[in-house]
Amino acid sequence: MVTKPAAARRPSWAGRNYTLLTAAAIVTNLGSQGALIAAAFAVLDSGGDGGDVGLVAAARTLPLVLFLLIGGAIADRLPRHHVMVAANALNCVSQAVFAVLVISGTPPLWSMMLLTALCGTGQAFFSPAAEGMLMSTVSGEQAGRAFALYRMATHGAGLGGAALGGLMVAAFGPGWVLAVDAAAFAVAGALRSFLDVSHIPAREPGGGLLSDLREGWREFIGRPWLWAIVAQFSVVVAVVGAAEAVFGPLVARDELGGAGPWGLALGAFGVGTIGGALLMMRWKPRRLLLAGTLCVFPLAAPSAALAVPLPVWGLAVVMFVSGVTIEVFGVSWMTAMHQEIPEEKLSRVAAYDAFGSLAMVPLATALAGPAELAFGRSASLWGCAALVVVVTALVLLVPDVRNLTRRTPSKEVAKAAPAPPATPSADAEGPLGRLG
């Protein structure tokens, strides 16, 4: 019996680079989701309290926000796979040291904050490079399917990693989970080092870092659909994050029976994201951003469900539906970015996107407690839901959001045709060489 080689069994759009990137992302998600749980328990086991857990979490978020834009500029200036491997190396070392400190004794709070901050710094440089790499690795009308499969694989790995990490923390302690995360970064970095970029023409050096940032800003602000949706998500991500990080656990404790029901609701959301990715492997909405934006409205439902509050099964259903719909938006958004943004500027635009989406999260979570004291928990949650609805309705007023359409194969060919020379970029790779 003659069997086909592995490459022949893969879809035509799932090339070697795409496969390496997806495998590496699965490995890192398996380790990282468990490590988030382990870091919290490491703080508690060392004698810390909830405030100390918050400080360690903030130590990760702050450098992530601060260095995102620089990370995007560097990822468009250097070969993106080199940036990704370097970031993985930093994360591997910081998590390994964290693991050794936890296994060998009781690390001081400042050391845990410092090592977590290094991990956040690595993520700030990794994320724009990874998004640019992924979007520049696929092409043609199957791009949406490729993005959906990638997101489904990473979400599935994240769910599995969180479950496995929780079990390992209980069985072996948080230090060993952190050690597994360090090993996962090492494996993922090794996989990414095998990316084949030999066919990518070298790019000429451009201006300085500030010049690159200004060029990325012009690309970002010059597209109304882009900055409008990022502005929308600066509010959506902030209020949804506050509802889930602050109000959700409180409602679960006081009304639903504790952490178990809240974990079930979050698990239902994760399963919904996988279902949404499966849907988007088959569905190709013509008006990408209109379909995606309409699917943001259901993100108001979890806050409303917590405000009532619904029983556990009702909350789980709401979370599942919101998980499905946010994936419709996510795949549509990535497809629009892939279609509309010049390849040599993808990482910088992705960095502005991530920065805008994350910038208000610390403020929203910090204000959640005072808002509960001032207005009450239920009113605060209804306010979160209302903000999601209002800003999503407002973004539909932007004509480009309603009218941007998916390109047909003939238009993709036209997009790929040679264009007049533009200002040279400093990236050392071209349109198909990056994946992560």
Side-chain angles (χ1 to χ4, degrees):
M1 179 179 177
V2 178
T3 59
K4 294 182 179 180
R9 292 196 295 268
R10 291 198 301 257
S12 59
W13 45 265
R16 178 178 180 272
N17 279 359
Y18 177 88
T19 303
L20 282 171
L21 282 170
T22 303
I26 290 172
V27 170
T28 49
N29 271 29
L30 281 170
S32 296
Q33 294 303 311
L36 292 175
I37 300 170
F41 278 93
V43 175
L44 296 174
D45 289 351
S46 68
D49 56 18
D52 294 330
V53 173
L55 287 175
V56 172
R60 176 185 176 88
T61 304
L62 183 60
L64 175 59
V65 174
L66 288 178
F67 292 116
L68 262 172
L69 297 182
I70 297 174
I74 289 177
D76 277 340
R77 173 174 287 269
L78 301 177
R80 289 186 186 128
H81 67 305
H82 290 172
V83 177
M84 295 167 71
V85 172
N88 286 166
L90 175 61
N91 289 145
C92 174
V93 172
S94 63
Q95 292 296 78
V97 174
F98 198 172
V100 170
L101 291 178
V102 172
I103 292 170
S104 61
T106 303
L109 179 63
W110 69 263
S111 67
M112 293 187 282
M113 292 177 64
L114 174 62
L115 292 167
T116 304
L118 288 175
C119 201
T121 302
Q123 191 65 29
F125 285 88
F126 174 85
S127 293
E131 188 164 350
M133 178 78 85
L134 177 64
M135 287 192 286
S136 62
T137 300
V138 299
S139 61
E141 62 176 330
Q142 297 300 329
R145 178 173 292 184
F147 297 145
L149 178 60
Y150 180 87
R151 291 172 67 95
M152 181 177 67
T154 56
H155 287 316
L159 280 173
L164 183 61
L167 292 173
M168 288 184 65
V169 167
F172 306 110
W176 293 106
V177 179
L178 293 167
V180 169
D181 188 37
F185 278 118
V187 171
L191 288 172
R192 289 165 178 139
S193 70
F194 286 109
L195 292 167
D196 180 13
V197 295
S198 59
H199 59 291
I200 303 301
R203 290 178 178 161
E204 296 296 328
L209 190 64
L210 289 178
S211 175
D212 287 349
L213 287 171
R214 285 194 296 267
E215 188 178 3
W217 173 252
R218 286 193 295 270
E219 188 70 35
F220 174 81
I221 204 67
R223 299 174 185 272
W225 62 268
L226 182 57
W227 59 258
I229 288 181
V230 171
Q232 169 204 10
F233 265 77
S234 69
V235 176
V236 170
V237 172
V239 298
V240 170
E244 292 190 357
V246 180
F247 296 125
L250 293 174
V251 172
R253 182 195 66 188
D254 297 340
E255 306 286 348
L256 302 178
W262 182 236
L264 175 65
L266 293 177
F269 177 85
V271 173
T273 62
I274 296 174
L278 280 171
L279 170 65
M280 293 305 288
M281 289 187 69
R282 295 184 173 275
W283 184 37
K284 298 179 181 179
R286 180 172 173 271
R287 295 192 181 187
L288 288 166
L289 295 181
L290 177 60
T293 301
L294 290 174
C295 285
V296 177
F297 283 108
L299 290 185
S303 295
L306 289 169
V308 173
L310 292 182
V312 175
W313 66 266
L315 178 61
V317 170
V318 166
M319 294 289 279
F320 174 82
V321 172
S322 64
V324 172
T325 57
I326 194 57
E327 276 307 290
V328 174
F329 170 83
V331 174
S332 299
W333 179 248
M334 289 186 73
T335 306
M337 292 266 284
H338 170 266
Q339 175 179 288
E340 300 295 326
I341 305 301
E343 189 277 336
E344 69 275 7
K345 300 175 185 176
L346 277 171
S347 288
R348 278 168 287 175
V349 172
Y352 280 109
D353 172 18
F355 178 83
S357 298
L358 293 173
M360 290 181 61
V361 171
L363 177 63
T365 53
L367 292 177
E372 182 180 16
L373 291 175
F375 307 111
R377 185 184 302 165
S378 180
S380 298
L381 282 164
W382 282 116
C384 290
L387 281 172
V388 172
V389 172
V390 169
V391 297
T392 304
L394 287 175
V395 87
L396 287 173
L397 299 177
V398 179
D400 287 350
V401 172
R402 301 193 306 272
N403 299 327
L404 191 145
T405 58
R406 182 187 299 270
R407 285 199 178 99
T408 62
S410 60
K411 291 181 180 178
E412 286 290 340
V413 171
K415 181 192 176 189
T423 302
S425 167
D427 199 332
E429 298 180 1
L432 299 178
R434 307 178 208 134
L435 181 56

